[in-house]
Amino acid sequence: MFYWVMKNVLVGPWLRLAFRPWTKGVENVPTSGPAILASNHLAVIDSFVLPLVLDRQVQFLGKSDYFTGGGVRGRLVAGFMRGVGTIPVDRSGGKASEAALNTGLRVLNDGDLFGIYPEGTRSPDGRLYRGKTGVARLALESGAPVIPVAMVGTDVAQPLGRSIPKPMPIGMVFGEPLDFSRYRGMEGDRFVLRSVTDEIMYAILRLSEQEYVDVYAATMKARLAAAAQHQPPEEPSADS
């Protein structure tokens, strides 16, 4: 109920007015039954605008930080994220990430739509980065089809560091469903998982037409942060 109210009454109409979302291939999303929406990830608003163009509810994984903030604002953010179907995931890996994937499997086993960003984090520069194999595990263990999705323009509306996005048209392109039933029962084979993940990322790449980087986005972010810390001080200008 809260999801419907947020999407159709409280937040959705404002988002539609601000971003005038356009779509291509939305008919590729099944009207019933489980499916995985595997998307590139350019901005925080991705998880808010994607559900606007679908009749069905989409549940996403979201970083646990969204659910642990203090004070009134923190509780409001946590309540909002839960209300729109976001499932917290601990990025520290190990058992926490395993629990998040199990939650995704429960969503799919219930016959619902599950949204995931295979890159694991937002792109630091608008390029498409190497996918993590969790999406492949979900596909093989659930048997659900994977719908590749390309978000278009959300990084322009909300670049990294910008909390309030700029109103402008943004788009979503949905590819044809990918069927990985031929690999069913092979979810323990890391080479199969990598192959499936790469196939999904290639499908996203074709839709988004981004430049591809065969490095994890989190690794690139760490490199950029380290480089920024070691930059030499700027030379004073002639006017200083």
Side-chain angles (χ1 to χ4, degrees):
M1 180 63 180
F2 184 56
Y3 179 88
W4 185 92
V5 172
M6 294 295 290
K7 178 179 177 180
N8 297 290
V9 180
L10 297 180
V11 178
W14 295 100
L15 292 177
R16 290 187 183 93
L17 182 63
F19 302 116
R20 292 159 283 163
W22 57 267
T23 64
K24 181 179 179 181
V26 71
E27 66 276 3
N28 288 318
V29 180
T31 56
S32 63
I36 301 167
L37 300 180
S39 174
N40 59 341
H41 196 14
L42 298 172
V44 173
I45 57 171
D46 292 340
S47 299
F48 300 109
V49 295
L50 179 55
L52 290 180
V53 302
L54 300 175
D55 294 330
R56 302 176 62 188
Q57 180 176 355
V58 186
Q59 296 189 63
F60 287 91
L61 291 177
K63 63 180 181 180
S64 57
D65 302 23
Y66 292 137
F67 299 83
T68 57
V72 175
R73 182 179 182 277
R75 289 193 293 272
L76 287 174
V77 170
F80 176 80
M81 297 300 282
R82 290 191 179 94
V84 297
T86 304
I87 302 168
V89 56
D90 188 334
R91 291 184 178 176
S92 60
K95 293 183 178 179
S97 293
E98 187 75 17
L101 287 173
N102 288 336
T103 301
L105 283 173
R106 287 198 293 272
V107 171
L108 294 167
N109 289 336
D110 288 340
D112 297 326
L113 293 180
F114 185 72
I116 187 171
Y117 302 113
E119 292 168 279
T121 186
R122 283 171 289 163
S123 170
D125 52 18
R127 297 185 292 179
L128 185 69
Y129 283 82
R130 193 179 202 217
K132 296 188 175 183
T133 57
V135 64
R137 285 189 52 196
L138 283 173
L140 299 192
E141 292 189 27
S142 69
V146 178
I147 314 298
V149 181
M151 305 300 298
V152 181
T154 53
D155 56 330
V156 180
Q158 189 185 32
L160 285 174
R162 180 167 183 156
S163 57
I164 300 178
K166 175 178 64 175
M168 59 172 285
I170 57 177
M172 284 140 278
V173 184
F174 299 85
E176 295 183 0
L178 302 176
D179 177 15
F180 296 104
S181 58
R182 63 191 183 278
Y183 295 122
R184 193 71 187 267
M186 302 177 69
E187 55 269 16
D189 188 321
R190 63 188 181 93
F191 295 106
V192 169
L193 293 179
R194 174 45 55 192
S195 176
V196 169
T197 302
D198 288 346
E199 185 174 338
I200 293 170
M201 298 309 294
Y202 180 68
I204 296 173
L205 179 66
R206 290 183 62 187
L207 297 175
S208 68
E209 299 182 347
Q210 294 168 272
E211 179 183 346
Y212 179 74
V213 185
D214 195 23
V215 174
Y216 292 118
T219 300
M220 179 59 72
K221 284 184 176 181
R223 290 177 182 174
L224 293 173
Q229 289 180 351
H230 293 88
Q231 281 184 348
E234 294 184 3
E235 290 291 334
S237 67
D239 295 329
S240 62

